[in-house]
Amino acid sequence: MTRSQDLVWNGIRREKLRLKCGSFYIAKDRASKPQGDDSHFIYGVGGWSKHGVDAGLYAAELINNSLLATLTQPLTQVDPMKVLDEAFSKTKAQGSSTACIITLQEGNMLHAVNVGDSRFMVIRRVEIIYKSPIQLHSFNFPYQLGNSANCAKPRQAQVIKVRVAAGDVIIAGTDGLFDNLFELQILATASKGIEQDLGAEEMVWEMAQLAYQPSRDKAAVTPFMEASKRAGRFRDGGKGDDITVIVSRILGA
């Protein structure tokens, strides 16, 4: 076997890859704002406010503990399951949260864990080559991590591995993104960004704004509306919700 053959797997050249990320957050009823350049964590907060609990405190503590957990592992070998386990065990606040952690490891592999209805997709040029599943008890009722007895635990997380290549784009987000945009809309926006060679920061801003518009429109046709009809709920328009989006471009070294 030649050296060049040894570096090719199913038509994908194996090389050292890196992620260039951009993230954007739009609060449900507030202004939009960027969230830094290298986030690989997504957390969604459930409806605890009616019980007098600020679930944002749980999510904030969970994500902070996750960041700390990554510092104890080699940069190119971060195990998202170990991160989630450690973060969960150290998070003591009331509340609950969905979670999605994605890492790029050696061998051109994405490793991810997911609990709930955050998700991600991998786009190669003009095609969605992978989309992660979600975990729902029922319509609009996702699995969520938490300390109460009826909450999910890390052992229930989906463990995901996806082979990627230079040039691929990862679109990750909370339900505020995927409940308001159809897959073809996300694909079209990402493909346009790839064709125009936009940076991750430019692509994520456009994606978040595109999701925000139908979230405020009671007449919009959205995945949330269609899912509600399948569940017998018949909710019109988009889903008013916080929107978190992370766009990651996979680059060669």
Side-chain angles (χ1 to χ4, degrees), residues 35-107:
Q35 282 192 282
D37 180 57
D38 195 25
S39 176
H40 305 77
F41 304 87
I42 302 174
Y43 294 84
V45 176
W48 280 84
S49 58
K50 60 186 177 183
H51 302 291
V53 175
D54 181 358
L57 297 178
Y58 182 90
E61 187 176 346
L62 186 65
I63 193 170
N64 184 63
N65 287 331
S66 297
L67 289 167
L68 293 174
T70 65
L71 301 179
T72 66
Q73 300 185 40
L75 182 61
T76 59
Q77 298 176 26
V78 174
D79 183 335
M81 192 70 245
K82 290 182 179 179
V83 170
L84 187 62
D85 268 327
E86 183 176 335
F88 176 81
S89 68
K90 294 181 177 180
T91 301
K92 306 303 181 184
Q94 284 187 289
S96 62
S97 177
T98 63
C100 182
I101 303 175
I102 307 168
T103 66
L104 176 62
Q105 297 195 13
E106 295 175 340

Side-chain angles (χ1 to χ4, degrees), residues 25-30 44-46 117 140 174-177 179-180 211-212 214-216 224 238-244:
Y25 169 71
I26 303 179
K28 181 177 179 180
D29 295 310
R30 295 178 290 278
V45 176
D117 57 358
N140 208 29
T174 56
D175 55 332
L177 171 67
D179 279 347
N180 286 303
Y212 180 72
S215 77
R216 310 294 293 178
F224 182 73
K239 182 181 182 182
D241 202 352
D242 296 344
I243 299 169
T244 299

Side-chain angles (χ1 to χ4, degrees), residues 8-226:
V8 175
W9 185 91
N10 277 6
I12 299 176
R13 180 165 295 277
R14 296 186 64 182
E15 57 181 311
K16 188 175 182 180
L17 302 177
R18 58 191 176 93
L19 289 176
K20 178 65 174 178
C21 304
S23 60
F24 211 83
Y25 169 71
I26 303 179
K28 181 177 179 180
D29 295 310
R30 295 178 290 278
S32 56
K33 53 186 178 182
Q35 282 192 282
D37 180 57
D38 195 25
S39 176
H40 305 77
F41 304 87
I42 302 174
Y43 294 84
V45 176
W48 280 84
S49 58
K50 60 186 177 183
H51 302 291
V53 175
D54 181 358
L57 297 178
Y58 182 90
E61 187 176 346
L62 186 65
I63 193 170
N64 184 63
N65 287 331
S66 297
L67 289 167
L68 293 174
T70 65
L71 301 179
T72 66
Q73 300 185 40
L75 182 61
T76 59
Q77 298 176 26
V78 174
D79 183 335
M81 192 70 245
K82 290 182 179 179
V83 170
L84 187 62
D85 268 327
E86 183 176 335
F88 176 81
S89 68
K90 294 181 177 180
T91 301
K92 306 303 181 184
Q94 284 187 289
S96 62
S97 177
T98 63
C100 182
I101 303 175
I102 307 168
T103 66
L104 176 62
Q105 297 195 13
E106 295 175 340
N108 299 7
M109 295 293 293
L110 285 184
H111 288 226
V113 292
N114 183 70
V115 177
D117 57 358
S118 293
R119 67 181 82 174
F120 70 94
M121 59 175 58
V122 181
I123 295 172
R124 183 168 297 155
R125 293 182 290 275
V126 294
E127 181 183 2
I128 299 172
I129 66 167
Y130 179 80
K131 53 185 178 182
S132 64
I134 59 175
Q135 295 175 312
L136 296 175
H137 296 287
S138 59
F139 170 70
N140 208 29
F141 182 21
Y143 286 34
Q144 294 196 19
L145 295 168
N147 294 314
S148 61
N150 60 344
C151 285
K153 307 306 176 191
R155 64 179 178 274
Q156 296 172 262
Q158 299 161 318
V159 179
I160 300 165
K161 295 181 181 180
V162 185
R163 190 172 296 275
V164 293
D168 290 351
V169 171
I170 305 165
I171 308 295
T174 56
D175 55 332
L177 171 67
F178 291 100
D179 279 347
N180 286 303
L181 292 181
F182 290 99
E183 290 177 5
L184 287 179
Q185 293 175 290
I186 295 172
L187 175 61
T189 303
S191 297
K192 176 183 174 183
I194 294 170
E195 181 181 358
Q196 296 178 349
D197 198 26
L198 299 181
E201 298 88 348
E202 297 171 286
M203 291 176 68
V204 76
W205 183 89
E206 185 170 350
M207 196 76 67
Q209 294 296 328
L210 189 65
Y212 180 72
Q213 295 168 10
S215 77
R216 310 294 293 178
D217 185 354
K218 294 302 182 183
V221 177
T222 64
F224 182 73
M225 181 196 74
E226 293 191 350

